């Protein structure tokens, strides 16, 4: 027993001082965390580098929506450099020849209408004078004549008015058509990101057309929809003469605070922090298990190759050597985990990461991390000892090492499924497989809404049993196979050794 | 500790009793028995693959025999404390990055030496073997010979009662061979039990008082060196005399084996006494040297192996 502690102490001292240990303790986790967080940072914080130009075709008589929209967007969406994220471009085709021609004709008709109108008014004034000045000679005749004129002028005016209306409608439709042609070409030439077409009655009907190259730019269309909704409702309210203050009060924005249901305590939910935190945890667990497990493996392989093991076997019992190595390198891993937990604690108390929003940063979960690290390390460590006893060829041994790493990191591939339902049947079943238990449980514990006490007890039991079985087999193989050199043993030989080892 | 003292009072006796060990497809050791007494250097000889290392590992309790016992003063080996044994395996290895003194202290403490004592003893031995200047160097800085000396120190740092050395002289230069022999002689004088294996017969002849020869897992000879030499004396003589070759060749019962510048090596058949022969030769020639030729361990070894192989084939 004392020799076991001496061996453990030697292994610990010799490993903790190595450069690879320092790298795996401080640099690897940093790299892993960066790998996770950088893409996340960029997708959420990536600044829009250019202003998006949105075209506006306004067919309404007021022609003021473009201004209002521009102001509203300017208030709400700004770029890093404080420029507005959206620019509004009013599409005008007033200089287009067809429109200009129509427009000049319209002007003639309008002038005609105006003169008719003036004439109509003058006749009306004349008639008023005839009515009031009863002493006017030929009054009745004048009245009759003027009435005749008035009737004619009115008829003519109505005809011109119809003509005017016809021209206006034609012009509107021409305007809309021409403006759309212009706007479409501007989108195709990437001048505009999108354009909005406001029909003349859009305030009443609430229907606005949104044209863009692709309908997948959900973010933009949602923002425009939201802004326009506000503007239009504001206009409708203003028409009710409610007063600016009242309108502002009614238009007070609604903000959705997002919460996740967790038992009785509701707390805010951030998918990235909630998901990537445990995932980083799994990677750290993986680094810790395979750093110390890897030392165990490479150490055994080296000592086998240079025959130190034979010297050690002459000083200490095989059980003491195995136990000492597992204990010593386990302490190496445990130190690593404790360093990480300490760093997390420091970051948390220093306010660099917010423990308040990361509900899984609890003392209890730290203990679970230590538990599953210990179980995982003992399990994989015992397997490493077993394989390093069997293999004497570094190449074969490395293949096994790679295979074990892939198996252990496998739960990360299923991490999305764990997020969706951490307690589904298959996920639970897979957590009972000793190779996968530590990674799955470290993912599940923080993600699961309810306490996993039963699963923790079951998996701990399974792990302890598996560890006992593998250590027993390793122990039986260790004495016989560690001194074997050269050839790769067959399965029948391995079984023979397990059965006949003394 | 009490037990150790009583063991020191009565002479140590190691008994290998009908030990048998098989590996999957080979019999490594077949029913081997021998005794080793303290105060004499015991040589375990045999060609490569004879089973010497397996026997040594069994004595060290690194490998357990399938049947048979290994007893030290009557106590079975597995129950005995490991620190009573010192072992130098055939293939040497040390932690390449560890510092020499640190490593020796570690090995010393594994043999239950107090740390301080291990340090003092290690320094003493490093000094004796001329390595004191390297005590703070990492092992991989040292030459192969130096590393080997570090390994010797590791084997006997804790002053074991029983020293098992597998091919201790291989790869060692003559100066260091002498230094090692001196240390082993000191241990012998202290009444320690020393077993060494070698296939260098000259070294075995110089070092061992008792030898055991193993071939293909079987014991073929177990006797003291003198006894073996006596047994294999075959009436061969060495004569140095002027122009005596012709005379010898003409004699009936003389079979000339070798004639060189140093003299003539010949075997006498029964019926002719060496005294008579000397008289005849000296009456005719000037005899400068006449001696009974003792076969070397090397010759005996080869003859035995050949004999064993013939018997085995028959």
């Amino acid at each position: 027993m004392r020799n076991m502690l001496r061996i453990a102490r030697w292994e610990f001292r010799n490993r903790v001082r190595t450069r690879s240990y320092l790298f795996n303790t401080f640099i690897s986790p940093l790299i892993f965390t960066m790998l996770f967080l950088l893409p996340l940072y960029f997708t959420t914080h990536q600044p829009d580098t250019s202003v998006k130009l949105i075209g506006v075709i306004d067919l309404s008589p007021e022609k003021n929506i473009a201004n209002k929209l521009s102001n509203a967007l300017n208030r709400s969406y700004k770029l890093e450099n404080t420029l507005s994220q959206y620019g509004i471009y009013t599409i005008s085709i007033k200089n287009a020849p067809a429109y200009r021609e129509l427009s000049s004709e319209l002007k003639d008709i309008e002038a005609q209408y105006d003169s008719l109108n003036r004439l109509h008014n003058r006749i009306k004034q004349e008639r008023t004078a005839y009515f009031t000045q009863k002493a006017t000679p030929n009054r009745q005749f004048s009245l009759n004549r003027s009435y005749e004129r008035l009737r004619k002028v009115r008829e003519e005016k109505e005809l011109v008015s119809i003509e005017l209306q016809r021209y206006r409608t034609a012009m509107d439709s021409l305007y809309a058509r021409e403006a759309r042609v212009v706007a479409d070409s501007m989108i195709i030439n990437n001048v505009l990101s999108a354009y909005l077409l406001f029909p003349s009655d859009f305030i009443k009907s609430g229907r606005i057309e949104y044209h863009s190259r692709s309908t997948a730019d959900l973010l933009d269309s949602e923002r425009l929809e939201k802004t326009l909704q506000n503007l239009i409702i504001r206009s409708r309210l203003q028409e009710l003469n409610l007063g600016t203050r009242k309108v502002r009060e009614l238009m007070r924005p609604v903000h959705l605070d997002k919460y996740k249901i967790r038992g009785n305590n509701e707390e805010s939910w951030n998918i990235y922090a909630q998901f990537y935190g445990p995932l980083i945890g799994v990677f750290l667990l993986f680094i810790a298990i395979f750093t110390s497990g890897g030392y165990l493996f490479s150490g055994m392989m080296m000592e086998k190759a240079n025959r130190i093991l034979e010297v050690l076997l002459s000083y200490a019992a095989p059980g003491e050597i195995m136990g000492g190595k597992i204990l010593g390198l386990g302490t190496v891993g445990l130190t690593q985990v404790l360093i990480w937990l300490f760093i997390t604690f420091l970051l948390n108390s220093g306010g660099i990461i917010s423990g308040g929003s990361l509900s899984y940063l609890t003392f209890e979960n730290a203990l679970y991390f230590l538990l599953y690290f210990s179980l995982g390390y003992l399990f994989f460590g015992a397997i490493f000892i077993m394989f390093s006893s069997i293999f004497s060829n570094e190449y074969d041994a490395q293949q096994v090492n790679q295979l074990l790493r892939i198996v252990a990191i496998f739960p990360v591939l299923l991490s999305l499924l764990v997020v969706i339902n951490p307690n589904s049947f298959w996920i639970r079943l897979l957590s009972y497989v000793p190779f996968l238990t530590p990674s799955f449980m470290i993912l599940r514990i923080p993600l699961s809404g309810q306490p996993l006490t039963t699963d923790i007890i079951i998996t701990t039991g399974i792990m302890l049993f598996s560890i006992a079985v593998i250590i027993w087999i390793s122990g039986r193989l260790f004495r016989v196979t560690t001194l074997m050199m050269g050839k790769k043993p067959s399965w029948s030989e391995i079984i023979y050794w397990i059965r006949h080892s003394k | 500790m009490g037990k150790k003292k009583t063991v020191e009072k009565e002479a140590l006796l190691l008994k290998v009793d009908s030990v048998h060990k098989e590996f999957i497809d080979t019999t490594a050791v077949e029913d081997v028995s021998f005794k080793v007494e303290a105060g004499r250097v015991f040589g375990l000889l045999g060609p490569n693959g004879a089973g010497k290392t397996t026997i040594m590992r069994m004595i060290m309790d690194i490998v357990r025999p399938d049947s048979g016992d290994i007893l030290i003063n009557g106590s079975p080996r597995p129950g005995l404390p490991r620190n009573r044994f010192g072992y130098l395996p055939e293939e040497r290895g040390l932690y390449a990055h560890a510092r020499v003194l640190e490593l020796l202290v570690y090995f010393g403490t594994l043999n239950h030496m107090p740390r301080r004592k291990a340090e003092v003893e290690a320094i003493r031995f490093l000094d004796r073997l001329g390595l004191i200047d390297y005590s703070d160097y990492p092992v991989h800085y040292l030459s192969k010979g130096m590393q080997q000396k570090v390994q010797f120190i590791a084997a006997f740092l804790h002053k074991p009662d029983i020293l098992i050395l597998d091919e201790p002289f291989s790869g060692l230069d003559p100066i260091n061979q002498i230094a090692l022999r001196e240390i082993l002689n000191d241990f012998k004088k202290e009444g320690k039990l020393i077993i060494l294996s070698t296939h260098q017969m000259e070294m075995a002849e110089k070092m061992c008082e008792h030898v055991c020869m193993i071939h293909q897992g079987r014991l073929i000879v177990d006797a003291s060196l003198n006894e073996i030499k006596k047994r294999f004396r075959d009436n061969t003589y060495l004569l140095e005399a002027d122009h005596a070759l012709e005379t010898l060749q003409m004699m009936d019962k003389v079979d000339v084996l070798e004639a060189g510048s140093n003299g003539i090596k010949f075997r006498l058949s029964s019926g002719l006494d060496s005294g008579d022969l000397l008289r005849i030769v000296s009456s005719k020639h000037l005899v400068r040297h006449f001696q009974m030729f003792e076969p070397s361990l090397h010759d005996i070894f080869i003859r035995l192996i050949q004999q064993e192989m013939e018997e085995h084939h028959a």
Side-chain angles (χ1 to χ4, degrees), chain B residues 23 49 67 74 98 113 118 195 197 202 205 216 231 238 243 249-250 267 270 284 287 300-301 303:
Chain B
F23 293 119
S67 64
M113 287 178 92
I195 301 175
S197 87
E202 314 82 68
E205 231 170 321
Q216 291 181 341
R231 202 191 299 171
L238 198 67
H243 318 293
Q249 275 173 338
M250 284 168 68
R267 191 180 292 136
S270 56
K284 294 181 184 173
V287 175
I300 296 170
F301 179 75
R303 270 165 66 187

Side-chain angles (χ1 to χ4, degrees), chain A residues 363-378:
Chain A
F363 183 66
E364 195 187 342
N365 282 355
L367 289 182
Y368 285 135
F369 196 88
L370 286 174
L371 171 75
Y372 282 103
F373 161 73
S374 309
L375 292 172
Y377 164 74
L378 285 175

Side-chain angles (χ1 to χ4, degrees), chain A residues 261-312:
Chain A
I261 309 297
R262 261 178 85 97
N264 293 328
N265 304 321
E266 286 189 7
E267 50 198 47
S268 80
W269 161 252
N270 174 338
I271 175 78
Y272 298 114
Q274 298 292 340
F275 172 58
Y276 282 104
L279 209 58
I280 290 170
V282 171
F283 272 102
L284 290 180
L285 186 82
F286 177 81
I287 294 176
I289 289 177
F290 282 88
T291 300
S292 31
Y295 286 149
L296 198 61
F297 202 37
S298 60
M300 280 282 296
M301 294 305 295
M302 186 199 80
E303 288 176 21
K304 236 179 111 166
N306 67 15
R307 297 305 181 120
I308 291 181
L309 215 52
E310 199 172 345
V311 178
L312 286 180

Side-chain angles (χ1 to χ4, degrees), chain B residues 16 32 34 36 41-47 51-57 59 164-167 194-201 204 208 210-214 219 221-222 301:
Chain B
V16 173
V32 168
F34 58 83
V36 187
V41 176
F42 182 93
L44 205 53
L45 315 180
K52 303 183 299 277
T53 300
T54 306
I55 292 174
M56 292 189 139
R57 283 177 180 169
I59 296 172
I164 315 279
L165 310 170
D166 204 349
E167 301 284 357
I194 302 167
I195 301 175
L196 57 87
S197 87
T198 182
H199 56 254
Q200 294 177 33
M201 294 303 149
C208 305
H210 194 106
V211 293
C212 232
M213 279 195 190
I214 310 279
L219 189 110
V221 169
D222 172 20
F301 179 75

Side-chain angles (χ1 to χ4, degrees), chain B residues 51 191 214 223 237 308:
Chain B
I214 310 279
Y237 295 86
E308 166 77 10

